[in-house]
Structure formats: C-alpha cells, structure tokens
Amino acid sequence: MTEAAASAPAGAPAESPNVLEARDVRRSFGGINAVQGATMSVRRGSITALIGPNGAGKTTFFNLITGFYKLDSGSVYFDGQAIGGLPSYKIARLGMVRTFQITKALSRMPVIDNMLLAAPDQPGESLFGAVFRPLATREREREITEQAHELLASFNLDKKANDYAGTLSGGQRKLLELARALMAQPRFLLLDEPMAGINPTLGARLLEHMQRLRREEGVTFLFVEHDMDVVMSHSDHVVVMAEGRVISEGTPDEVRADRKVVDAYLGGELDDVSEGGE
Amino acid sequence: MDTLVLGISTSGFNLSFWVGVGVIAGIYAIVALGLQLNVGFTGMDNFGMAGFMAVGAYTMAILTVDHDISFWLSLPLSMLVTMGFGLLVGLPSLRLRSDYFAIATIASAELIRLVAQNAQGLTGGNQGIFCSDDFSRCYDDAWVKVSDTINGWFVDLGMSDPPSALPLLVVAWIIAILLTVALVRIQSTPWGRVLRAVREDEDAARALGKNTVGYKLQSLVIASAIAALAGWLLALNLATIHPTDYEPIVTFFGYSVLVLGGLANYWGVPLGAIFFWVLVEGTRTLEIFESESQQVALRLFVAGAVLILVMVFRPQGAFGKREEMMLGD
C-alpha cells in the first residue's frame, strides 16, 4: 500500500471525487504508535464523521493531516495536491481549515477581531502592506468587517461583537470558533468534537449550520464526534478508527452493522457509547 | 548599577540632576517600548534587550572610531547589524516554549556582553570604547557638535547655563514619543492584530493561515532595532561604552517600566519610565537616610516595594486594561 501510494502521486487528481486522501499515515511518540497506518478519504461535498473509542488516534490524525504534527510516513492529498510535510498555516491557506477539541478563543481580543483575523487576503497583514498600502488595507477591512458581522449574526453572536472573546460561554466559544473558521473561506472544514461541552440547543444550531454550508457553499466537513445519534443522523459517511488504524468505513448504516466496529467499542450497541470525551 | 549614577545628590532643585534623570527615563522608555511590542503584544518574553543595546552601541562606536566611518552613517549600519543579531537569536529560539525563549534570550545577551568584555581587539575589553588611541577621533564627536548647537539655541532663548545633557534629553524624548506614536499606529493595523493573535494562541493563529514564526521574528527584529536606538543614546549619555553598561539589570529595569506603565499599552510606557526613574533616582534627593550606603540600598528597596504594591493593587499598571489581565488564561 505504501509503495502504491508513493508511486502514484497523481492518484488523487483534481477531478477525483475526494477532497482528502490520506494514505498509510503513521506517527509514533516515543514508542507509542498513536497512528499506525491510517488510510481514508473524504468525498467532496460530504459530511464525514470520524469516530472511534478514546485513544483511537482521531485527534492525532487531525493534527497530522493539518500539519500540526509531522508525519513519520505516509502521504496526504488535499484536492489532489500533496500536503504532507507542509506547515500548518500553508495548509490552512489552501482552504483546509480546522478547529480544536479544546476551543481556542483568542480571549483577550474582541470577538470581532477574532473574526477579522481569519479573513484571507488582507494586504495589511504584512508589515509592508500595513505601512504602505493603507487604502487597500482599509478597503479590505471594510469588506471583511461586513462579512464578519453577517456571520456573527447568523450565529447569534452579533451582540457580543465588541466583547472580549474570553467573556463568552463555552458554547458561544464553540460557535465563535466555527464562525471564525468560516471567515477563512474554507473549502474543507475539519471540526474536532464541535458538539462537546455545548448545550443541545446550540448543538442543534451548529448542525444546522453545517448542513446549510454544505448545501449552499459546497463546504466539505470532516468531524470527530462521540454522540452517536448526531453521527448517525447528520453524516453521510462514517470512518471508524481504533488503535491508530482505520478499521471500518461506509454509510452510517453499514458502519453500524459492522461487527469490527461494535467489537472495537465494547461489543454492544453503539448507542451505549454516546457518552464521553477524550 | 554604578553606570546609572547620574550625579551627586543635593538638597533643593538641581536642574542638571533632573535632566540626567530625564535622559535615563527617555532611554528606558525606548527600551520598554521594544519590550512592549514583544511581551505585551506578541507574547514573547524577550529578556535580551541589553544584549541588543550593546550590539547597537558597540557597532556604532567600532565603525566610527576604528573604521573612520561617519557617525551618521554608522547609525543605520549599526541598526542593521543589531537587527541581524535579532534574527540570529530568534531563528533558533523562537520555536521554544515561552519560558525557554526567555532563558535563551537572556543567555544570548550575556554572551554578547561577555564577548564584548573579552574581545579586547574589537571592543576594548574592560577598558571599553571611547576614542581612538591617539584621541583624534571619538564616537561622540558628531553628537557633541549637534549637542552644542542645540544648547546654543537654549542660550539664545535666554537660558543662562543649560545643562550639558539637555540636548540628549530633548532628542531621547523626541525619539521616545515618535516611537510610541509609530508603534500605536502599526499595532492598530491587521499586522498588529496578527501579533495579538500570536500572543493569545499560536496554534489558533496557525490554523487560520498565519505564519506565526514569521511574525514573531518580525516582532523580535523590530525590538532589536529599537534596542539599538536605546544603546546609542546610552552610549552618548555615558560618553563611553563599557561591558558593565549592558548587564541583565538593564533589561530588568525595562521590565519594571513595563509593569508600571501597564502591559499591552504603548502610552503607559513613557509614563512608567518617568515614574520608575523618578522613584529610583529621585529618592537620592531625600535626606532621610543616615549615610550614603544606606541611601543606595534603601533606594532600590523603595523601588522594589513600590513595584510589589503596584502588582498587588494595580496589576494592569498605569494604562493597562484590568479586564485583559483577568482574561489571561
């Protein structure tokens, strides 16, 4: 498999239906094989769920494909482009944007600044542009401020725009992180446990947003989730990891019926494992 | 500490003494402005300012005294060299966690100072640098001329005997104020916003497409350029450049100014600098102490006590925002 992947870099051409292809991705930390040969793909326009018991390597896998950890071996393609080994900020600029399991609100910055930060193509973000292109900077700032307010409004955060992000509740921070990721105009959004720690009402709204963005903007989603009801009802493809490997893949119904998956969890009903985080 | 001695204490108002305090305050305002950019707005605990100041001062002096380069040309050249040092220190150390970065920068500053102390041929070692061997050239020749001209203006304005440090006071504070304005403005740009994001959470900034190491490097290189300014002014104030002028205490005094003025606010810095140096030097004029040695010890004691009280009762300093302090996680 490794050989095949290495010898066929064009195996994920632009017309491929897959927005992401990860092949035999490996990473160990001091003798512990966190991810030991994970191969999976995410179809363009899909909402794909990544599930698996605690310690399965889901978050590590996220960190590997988004450039936050270096790969020991294996390859990753985003829209046909090899991104293994690229620094995380470059991967983000390509349109593959992630959020974190533990929210990373920029606490001592206003909510609106959290949003503006994420917008691409601001000439004033370079020192040169900030000093010598004030007009272009101001113009872009106007555009993205408008965008940011619209997005905040759709997440019911517009009244908080000028508050420090650190004053938001846990659930609001999750929403802010999603809204902020959207400001980056991603084609592919990776959410690490977006529902963890937020109340059901906010959670439902977050799911609605995902569905709407997929429908209206064609954004592809890959999300890690422990709530099996959410996974089964809101994803059209499910990837299951256990012990650092992908052990099953398919539609929610296929995965639910897969003996390996049931064994990997606890040899019981999947509904029984809706609890718990990492 | 000896290097900071400004003059003898007298009772009553002594203009040249207070002008001297003002010069030191201006220099430390500039040092702390560089620190503010790094510490307050980028979240980088740079403890190497004294080293960068030394590089700026020594390079200026070596170019003018040993290589007969014009003082005015030596300024941009030495600033570039100092920025190069900033880059050199930053490249290997910026990937370190913040506390290790602090250790790496303080070590680099000490390295620079110890090299200056021992590289006799280049820096004059413990003798320091002042003039060429035949005393035909001194690094502050050009400045002394400017200084005399400026003091001539003060005489024209009706001042009978302007203190010799008065021109330096004027220049130092013009630089400090211009720098404050420039930093405030650049901080309000999207570039400054990315710096604050790096301060808050580097991973989040990277996940949003920001080259965080690049921004930290820029922040550090700008701070080292600012340190060069402070290094020159200190060299002109003391009229000699000596390794002991650039001990870590210089950086620590810069941090004291930062704390008093308040983190993440540039306007607090000049205010903090004045407050700190009036506190440290002004207490010389108090005649409440028995002996000179008691006074020296007690002055720093008073300064330390005030710093502690500020931390307890007003952790945000003069201009910092208390809300921001509380939200830090």
Side-chain angles (χ1 to χ4, degrees), chain B residues 87-112:
Chain B
L87 202 64
L88 207 67
V89 171
L91 276 175
S93 61
L94 274 178
R95 283 161 215 274
L96 298 174
R97 226 178 54 199
S98 71
D99 36 2
Y100 292 103
F101 175 75
I103 295 168
T105 49
I106 198 168
S108 72
E110 279 295 85
L111 206 70
I112 289 165

Side-chain angles (χ1 to χ4, degrees), chain A residues 179-195:
Chain A
R180 192 175 67 190
L182 291 173
M183 274 302 285
Q185 299 185 332
R187 285 176 289 152
F188 181 28
L189 205 46
L190 299 93
L191 310 175
D192 197 352
E193 298 198 30
M195 316 283 287

Side-chain angles (χ1 to χ4, degrees), chain A residues 67-68 88-89 92-93 97-98 100 104 106-110 113 116-119 122 124-127 130-131 137 141 144 164 166-167 180-181, chain B residues 186 188-194 196-212 215 218 222 321 323-325 327-329:
Chain A
F68 277 81
S88 49
Y89 73 92
R93 281 185 199 170
V97 176
R98 68 167 298 178
F100 295 87
K104 292 182 182 292
L106 306 168
S107 306
R108 288 174 295 178
M109 287 169 71
D113 280 7
L116 298 177
L117 175 78
Q122 168 52 277
E125 274 190 6
S126 77
L127 197 49
V131 176
T137 299
E141 206 69 356
I144 61 181
Y164 283 110
T167 64
R180 192 175 67 190
Chain B
I186 194 74
S188 69
T189 65
W191 180 82
R193 185 166 61 214
V194 179
R196 278 183 295 141
V198 170
R199 174 192 74 190
E200 291 303 300
D201 195 310
E202 254 192 276
D203 281 343
R206 283 160 66 204
L208 296 171
K210 314 305 171 199
N211 179 3
T212 55
Y215 281 94
Q218 290 173 39
I222 293 172
K321 293 185 187 138
E323 200 182 4
E324 282 198 10
M325 294 290 297
L327 289 172
D329 44 6

